[in-house]
């Protein structure tokens, strides 16, 4: 019997204690912790992984971020600048040597892990304050950060292709010369032909090293030819317009 | 569909007794009803499906079905570089990502023989204990929600938001931190961060008492949980239950004390165990209260760690991170840590290449879930909800 | 479809009814209490005191019959996809789908290697709003609901012009 | 019956219906606001401007034009009928609730008896909904609701007997009239502490009657998904929703009428006498009745956001082993008291 009344007493008292606590919270309702988000915006911290952003002018196009990404969402492409061209300095103090013609991030796949930002030496890839905007379609989440206008990109590609052709011609010429010389001095000419391309490659070893994937076809070569206007009737579409990427799966 | 029949259950009967009782009455029972609980059910903590065979409201058999969140963690990790795997361990038990990170990086460091500085160790302890706090807050809060009390859940989420703010300042992530690296950390502590942790600790003083008087010792809550779904120590060991579930059954087993790692042996804290304060040892309430008490202990560790860090000279947290991990030492390792849900073990095999050759994760929630079908006969549906909440499973970790 | 959609030509009554209905629909979006994975924890945090979705009349309901919006918060596996479609079919019109987080948007971290993960929930359900993030911060989730509100305000019950 | 009588009857029903809708809308809004403030948040803020006052209106308009789903395997006639039964039982109960000296649908001489009887009709509706949905969770909810309501009718009836015995009438206006002249005359303070115990037992049992926490088992969200209305959508769900909140006010209203002085003010100088102005007298009476009802409604909501939920067997334990003995002893002592003092 005592247990019965004790149970009732415990029930009543604990209910009252609970009601007291909730009442205290209710009564001081002026101090609600709610942040009325669209009206008052929470300040984002420096490190907050909110919105990935790349400053094209500061990007060294080293492709470190693209390699660090666990989901391979960074689609970037660069073209080596001409030797005389001045692209300004990178935040690290070194001169910028690459044109960033393509830097696309598919935010629908981004895992916001921060690995890409960590490896960025120039800090051109960084987090920005407002949270990533919501979209009505998946394609809108595909964002491009390259700032070079499309016709300029076309020109650069054309220029690069031309440079390649030139390089190939040069090589061919050299080879032809070597072949011609071969008749006279067979053994010596052979050694020369081998040494020359190696020298050409040694001019820009870093750029050669960082080229991956689709850029592999372009040969890094130091060409002395001046810039030429791009061909307007180039069949290639501008490279940096956001395009819906077909699902890989 | 069977007719709903009332069965006399003596108050405080153990499940074993009830199932024994039911066996005696087997012949008078009608058809059993099969009820699917989940995958969309507010009480299953995610996408667990439990197939309940019930007689009226009494459960005769419960079969958990998993795999609704199978994300191929182990297989994916075989194609990720050593450092990239950290981002995937975040998503194992998403409530306590720092603890997952810790288990993985410690295993890798041990395998590759990387020594990290004491400061890095202390920061790791601090962050993972903060995350343990956040994880336990969710566990306690959602448990209240399962039992029908909304308010404690919202209060605890509110306290948890402060921890998330600290994390946000620390590494930019709120929920999935991805903060630890093999050999170090991603960022050093921001300015004034330790002061904020101190402020948070003083803010939290008395908050757990409030939760205790609002929820833990509420008569209705106690009645709902005491003597329900008792998992004895013996059973825990048989089914591989670890962490708060094992401690709730009265076993003083905590890897932070028994197999110290990361310098835990130098911290002063206790291991709370279930003592059957309101019912039998190993009932739902014991498992629940162990979590509440662990929060207090975590706060003690956080306090000590913060004080140590304030005295410690700053060093480069990135110093010991290997510059390149394309070629590593081959080897294999099994390393376990004390995760908020139990023992989190990583078995990693390296063949010296860029990627782990094999990565196996011993997930505590998975083992905890296995006990469900053994204890559930004789429970009511409401008790089933209490059981699922008390073993505190996270489906991300169960299915991986 | 609701009770009166697509029966009338657009006229003054229909447009004013539209205004009322769209106001009501957009101000009272009840999502399904349904968490899949990591994003569910963030969804809970958004529903809780700090960000309080209830300010916008967003009030989670446990059953699909009474909810207007399916908030897909997490990784959708092939096994769960079937159930998700069932849940969507059980919802009453007008109904909306929000895809929250990278996993739901496109498979996210599991898009390359997760053989069991549906690469984008738009393959099985018509998605109205995508919220990027992994998991999206509460601000992003609120933004998503506001975007959905904008979307609802453009609806009409009039017959679609042929 | 003349045309005038019919007109009055129609006006009564329309008035009750309008009042129920308003009460339910306000109750839902206050519930959301109160819960929000208990949780340190704000609750509806955006809809309609000031503190989201139009939130429930938006909800209702939305629910009314949602698709009306009747599951294929449901028992269709019962499925359609159930919400109407629940709502009409509620409306019928409101008819005898005394909002003012003359603001009462009809002052039956067996008013309270009628109210207890008619409000238990609701169980039929809920059970019907649970059965007809052809959903196991709904069936659980319906069965729980039936067992719970039938059990709790007994302590409710017994505790309502106390003021009835004290006053000696079943008519609502008689019961209210006996409590005039200040709060010390209220039913809850007569025959202390027995009427007080009866009031407390009634209040808690009425929570079970209207499926509120800690007795919200029929729709326990974390257990039974949504209980008996798990398959209902749109307008039909709105009816359940409306009936639930109107019922909350109904049980609060009964408690006010029988124990808390009905439409009488706590002090008699706060009232306007019927002789000076009948309309004002009624309006002030209505104000007091509604505000007392709202206070009880607040306590119901306050409990809702404080307490966890009981289990089925504990619910029955509370009913049959705690409330029932207390009410029996109460009735016995009060009746003895009355017999002794009156003879």
């Amino acid at each position: 019997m005592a247990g019965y009344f004790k149970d009732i007493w415990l029930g009543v008292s604990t209910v009252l204690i609970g009601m007291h606590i909730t009442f205290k919270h209710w009564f001081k309702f002026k101090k609600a912790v709610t942040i009325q988000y669209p009206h008052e915006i929470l300040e984002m911290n420096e490190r907050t992984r909110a919105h990935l952003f790349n400053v094209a002018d500061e990007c060294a196009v080293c492709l470190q971020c693209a390699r660090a990404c666990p989901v391979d969402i960074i689609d970037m492409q660069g073209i080596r600048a001409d030797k005389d061209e001045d692209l300004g300095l990178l935040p690290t103090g070194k001169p910028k040597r690459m044109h960033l013609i393509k830097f696309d991030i598919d935010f629908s796949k981004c895992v916001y892990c921060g690995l890409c930002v960590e490896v960025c030496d120039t800090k051109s890839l960084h987090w920005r304050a407002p949270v990533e905007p919501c979209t009505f379609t998946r394609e809108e989440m595909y964002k491009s950060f390259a700032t070079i206008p499309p016709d300029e990109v076309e020109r650069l590609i054309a220029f690069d292709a031309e440079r390649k052709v030139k390089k190939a011609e040069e090589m061919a010429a050299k080879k032809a010369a070597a072949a011609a010389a071969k008749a006279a001095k067979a053994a010596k000419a052979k050694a020369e032909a081998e040494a020359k391309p190696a020298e050409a490659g040694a001019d820009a070893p870093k750029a050669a090293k960082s080229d991956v994937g689709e850029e592999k076809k372009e040969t890094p070569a130091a060409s002395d030819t001046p810039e030429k206007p791009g061909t307007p009737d180039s069949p290639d579409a501008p490279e940096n317009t956001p395009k819906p990427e077909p699902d890989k799966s | 569909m069977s007719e709903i029949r009332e069965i006399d259950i003596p108050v405080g009967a153990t499940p074993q007794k009830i199932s024994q009782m039911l066996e005696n009455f087997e012949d008078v029972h009608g058809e059993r009803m099969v009820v699917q609980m989940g995958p969309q059910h507010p009480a299953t903590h995610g996408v667990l499906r439990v197939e309940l065979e019930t007689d009226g409201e009494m459960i005769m058999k419960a079969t958990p079905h998993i795999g609704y969140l199978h994300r191929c963690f182990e297989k994916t990790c075989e194609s990720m570089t050593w450092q990239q795997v950290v981002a995937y361990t975040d998503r194992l038990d998403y409530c306590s990502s720092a603890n997952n990170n810790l288990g993985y990086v410690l295993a890798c460091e041990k395998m590759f023989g990387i020594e990290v500085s004491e400061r890095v160790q202390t920061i790791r302890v601090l962050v993972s204990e903060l995350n343990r706090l956040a994880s336990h807050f969710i566990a306690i809060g959602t448990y209240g929600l399962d039992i029908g009390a909304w308010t404690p859940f919202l209060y605890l989420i509110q306290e948890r938001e402060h921890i998330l703010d600290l994390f946000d300042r620390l590494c930019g992530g709120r929920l999935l931190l991805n903060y630890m690296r093999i050999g170090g950390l991603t960022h050093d502590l921001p300015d004034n961060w330790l002061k904020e942790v101190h402020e948070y600790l003083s803010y939290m003083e008395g908050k757990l008492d409030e939760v205790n008087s609002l929820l833990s010792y509420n008569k209705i809550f106690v009645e709902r949980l005491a003597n329900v779904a008792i998992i004895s120590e013996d059973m825990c060991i048989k089914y591989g239950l670890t962490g708060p579930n094992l401690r709730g059954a009265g076993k003083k087993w905590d890897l932070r004390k028994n197999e110290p790692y990361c310098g835990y042996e130098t911290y002063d804290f206790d291991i709370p165990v279930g003592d059957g304060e309101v019912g039998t040892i190993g009932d739902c309430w014991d498992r629940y209260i162990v979590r509440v008490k662990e929060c207090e202990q975590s706060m003690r560790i956080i306090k000590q760690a913060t004080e140590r860090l304030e005295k410690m000279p700053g060093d480069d947290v990135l110093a010991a991170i290997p510059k390149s991990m394309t070629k590593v030492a081959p080897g294999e390792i099994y390393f376990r840590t004390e995760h908020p849900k139990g023992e989190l073990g990583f078995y990693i095999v390296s063949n010296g290449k860029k990627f782990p050759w094999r990565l196996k994760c011993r997930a505590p929630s998975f083992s905890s879930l296995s006990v469900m079908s053994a204890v559930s006969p004789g429970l009511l549906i409401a008790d089933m909800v209490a059981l699922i909440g008390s073993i505190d499973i996270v489906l991300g970790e169960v299915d991986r | 479809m609701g009770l009166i959609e697509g029966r009338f030509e657009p006229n003054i009554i229909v447009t004013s009814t539209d205004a009322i209905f769209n106001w009501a629909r957009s101000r009272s979006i009840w999502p399904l209490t349904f968490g899949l994975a990591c994003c569910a924890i963030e969804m809970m945090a958004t529903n809780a005191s700090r960000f309080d979705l209830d300010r916008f009349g967003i009030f989670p309901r446990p059953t699909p019959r009474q909810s207007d919006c399916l908030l897909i918060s997490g990784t959708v596996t092939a096994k769960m996809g079937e159930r998700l479609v069932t849940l969507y079919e059980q919802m009453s019109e007008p109904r909306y789908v929000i895809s929250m987080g990278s996993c739901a948007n496109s498979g996210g971290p599991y898009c390359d290697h997760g053989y069991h993960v549906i690469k984008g929930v738009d393959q099985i359900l018509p998605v109205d709003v995508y919220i990027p993030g992994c998991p999206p911060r509460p601000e992003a989730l609120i933004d998503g609901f506001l975007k959905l509100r904008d979307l609802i305000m453009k609806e009409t019950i009039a017959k679609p012009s042929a | 019956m003349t045309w005038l009588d019919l007109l009055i009857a129609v006006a009564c029903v329309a008035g009750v219906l309008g009042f129920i809708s308003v009460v339910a809308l306000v109750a839902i809004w206050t519930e959301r606001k109160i819960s929000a403030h208990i949780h340190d948040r704000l609750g509806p803020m955006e809809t309609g401007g000031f503190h989201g006052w139009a939130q429930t209106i938006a909800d209702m308009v939305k629910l009314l034009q949602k698709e009306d789903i009747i599951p294929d395997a449901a028992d269709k006639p019962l499925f359609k009928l159930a919400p109407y039964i629940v709502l009409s039982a509620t409306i019928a109960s409101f008819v005898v609730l005394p909002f003012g000296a003359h603001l009462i649908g009809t002052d039956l001489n067996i008013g309270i008896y009628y109210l207890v009887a008619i409000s238990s009709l609701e169980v039929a509706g809920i059970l019907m909904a649970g059965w007809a949905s052809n959903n196991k969770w709904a069936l659980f909810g319906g069965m729980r609701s039936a067992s719970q309501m039938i059990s709790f009718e007994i302590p409710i009836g017994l505790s309502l007997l106390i003021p009835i015995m004290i006053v000696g009438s079943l008519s609502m206006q008689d019961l209210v009239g006996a409590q005039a002249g200040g709060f010390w005359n209220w039913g809850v303070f007569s025959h202390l502490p027995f009427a007080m115990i009866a009031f407390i037992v009634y209040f808690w049992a009425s929570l079970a009657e209207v499926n509120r926490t800690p007795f919200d088992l029929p729709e326990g969200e974390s257990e039974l998904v949504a209980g008996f209305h798990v398959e209902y959508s749109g307008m039909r769900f709105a009816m359940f929703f409306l009936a639930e909140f109107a019922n909350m006010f109904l049980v609060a209203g009964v408690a006010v009428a029988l124990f808390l002085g009905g439409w009488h003010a706590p002090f008699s100088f706060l009232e306007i006498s019927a002789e000076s102005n009948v309309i004002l007298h009624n309006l002030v009476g209505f104000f007091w009745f509604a505000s007392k009802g709202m206070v009880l409604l607040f306590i119901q909501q306050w409990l809702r956001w404080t307490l966890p939920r009981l289990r089925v067997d504990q619910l029955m334990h509370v009913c049959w082993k705690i409330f029932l003995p207390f009410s029996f002893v109460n009735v016995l002592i009060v009746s003895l008291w009355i017999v002794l003092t009156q003879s």
Side-chain angles (χ1 to χ4, degrees), chain D residues 204-287:
Chain D
W204 278 89
S206 72
L207 290 180
E209 187 82 359
V210 294
N211 303 334
R212 297 291 294 178
T213 310
F215 309 115
D216 65 339
L217 288 100
E219 44 192 300
E221 228 184 77
S222 55
E223 291 159 28
L224 298 187
V225 189
F228 60 87
H229 56 66
V230 70
E231 293 284 354
Y232 281 86
S233 62
M235 205 161 74
R236 289 174 214 279
F237 166 65
M239 282 186 199
F240 281 123
F241 209 46
L242 211 66
E244 189 191 323
F245 280 86
N247 266 325
M248 277 167 63
F249 188 81
L250 178 73
V251 292
V254 172
V256 168
L258 266 68
F259 293 101
L260 298 178
W263 40 265
H264 289 298
F267 298 99
S268 43
F269 61 81
L270 290 171
E271 280 180 62
I272 287 159
S273 69
E275 287 83 41
S276 60
N277 191 334
V278 178
I279 294 173
L280 225 60
H281 173 68
N282 272 305
L283 283 181
V284 171
F286 178 78
F287 166 76

Side-chain angles (χ1 to χ4, degrees), chain B residues 46 69 73 92 99 103 138 143 149 187 209 254 264 294 307 369:
Chain B
L69 195 55
F73 163 75
L92 273 178
N99 289 285
I138 288 199
Y143 198 31
H187 302 89
D209 292 342
D254 190 322
Y264 266 114
E294 266 182 28
E307 279 161 5
L369 188 62

Side-chain angles (χ1 to χ4, degrees), chain B residues 121-135:
Chain B
Q121 299 267 30
T122 320
I123 296 175
R124 280 179 181 175
V125 167
L126 174 57
V127 172
S128 57
E129 287 305 317
L130 272 174
N131 211 334
R132 186 187 307 272
L133 215 52
S135 168

Side-chain angles (χ1 to χ4, degrees), chain A:
Chain A
M1 202 61 186
Y4 173 79
F5 282 108
K6 200 187 156 203
D7 271 1
I8 293 174
W9 167 244
L10 264 178
V12 172
S13 60
T14 52
V15 165
L16 288 178
I17 289 168
M19 286 173 81
H20 175 67
I21 290 170
T22 43
F23 188 78
K24 272 198 298 191
H25 278 269
W26 179 77
F27 203 66
K28 54 155 202 185
F29 62 77
K30 286 277 178 241
K31 289 182 206 155
V33 295
T34 307
I35 292 154
Q36 301 200 43
Y37 165 61
H39 309 302
E40 41 182 310
I41 289 165
L42 201 66
E43 216 173 284
M44 298 262 169
N45 294 313
E46 187 192 344
R47 293 173 184 176
T48 300
R49 299 181 205 147
H51 187 160
L52 210 51
F53 198 88
N54 189 29
V55 183
D57 287 343
E58 295 175 5
C59 181
V61 203
C62 61
L63 294 133
Q64 287 287 341
C65 50
R67 256 184 260 144
C69 183
V71 252
D72 299 334
I73 55 158
I74 301 179
D75 186 2
M76 69 190 293
Q77 199 177 341
I79 286 183
R80 262 190 58 79
D82 197 48
K83 218 177 193 176
D84 307 332
E85 218 172 341
D86 181 27
L87 291 175
L89 289 177
L90 292 170
T92 46
K94 288 178 191 157
K96 184 171 160 72
R97 294 305 304 146
M98 298 279 276
H99 286 288
L100 182 67
I101 61 164
K102 189 182 187 186
F103 193 95
D104 296 354
I105 297 182
D106 185 359
F107 280 103
S108 72
K109 286 180 184 169
C110 183
V111 283
Y112 293 78
C113 60
L115 283 163
C116 49
V117 175
E118 263 168 55
V119 295
C120 187
D121 284 334
T122 61
K123 305 286 167 217
S124 74
L125 190 64
H126 61 273
W127 298 105
R128 282 224 168 157
V131 289
E132 199 62 44
C134 308
T135 59
F136 294 123
T137 56
R138 230 167 108 172
E139 286 74 43
E140 284 170 63
M141 277 185 275
Y142 201 78
K143 287 197 185 123
S144 182
F145 294 98
T147 47
I148 301 175
D151 51 338
E152 177 75 6
V153 169
E154 269 175 44
R155 191 191 62 75
L156 280 169
I157 290 170
F159 162 68
D160 193 50
E162 207 168 284
R163 193 165 58 185
K164 255 180 251 168
V165 170
K166 274 240 166 95
K167 174 76 192 161
E169 274 171 11
E170 233 170 70
M171 299 272 281
K174 268 180 194 166
K175 264 188 188 163
K182 199 182 170 186
K185 293 174 186 176
K188 201 183 172 188
K190 199 183 172 189
E192 205 182 304
E194 266 173 2
K196 280 217 169 146
E199 255 174 46
D203 275 359
K206 268 197 181 160
K209 208 175 157 193
S210 58
D211 280 339
V212 290
E214 51 212 305
E215 297 91 75
K216 271 197 178 139
K217 53 187 182 282
E218 54 169 288
T219 25
S223 167
D224 293 341
T225 42
E227 284 178 47
K228 279 189 179 175
T231 42
D233 53 342
S234 165
D236 294 332
E239 286 282 336
N240 65 341
T241 42
K243 256 191 281 179
E245 198 190 41
D247 210 340
K248 277 176 191 167
S249 56

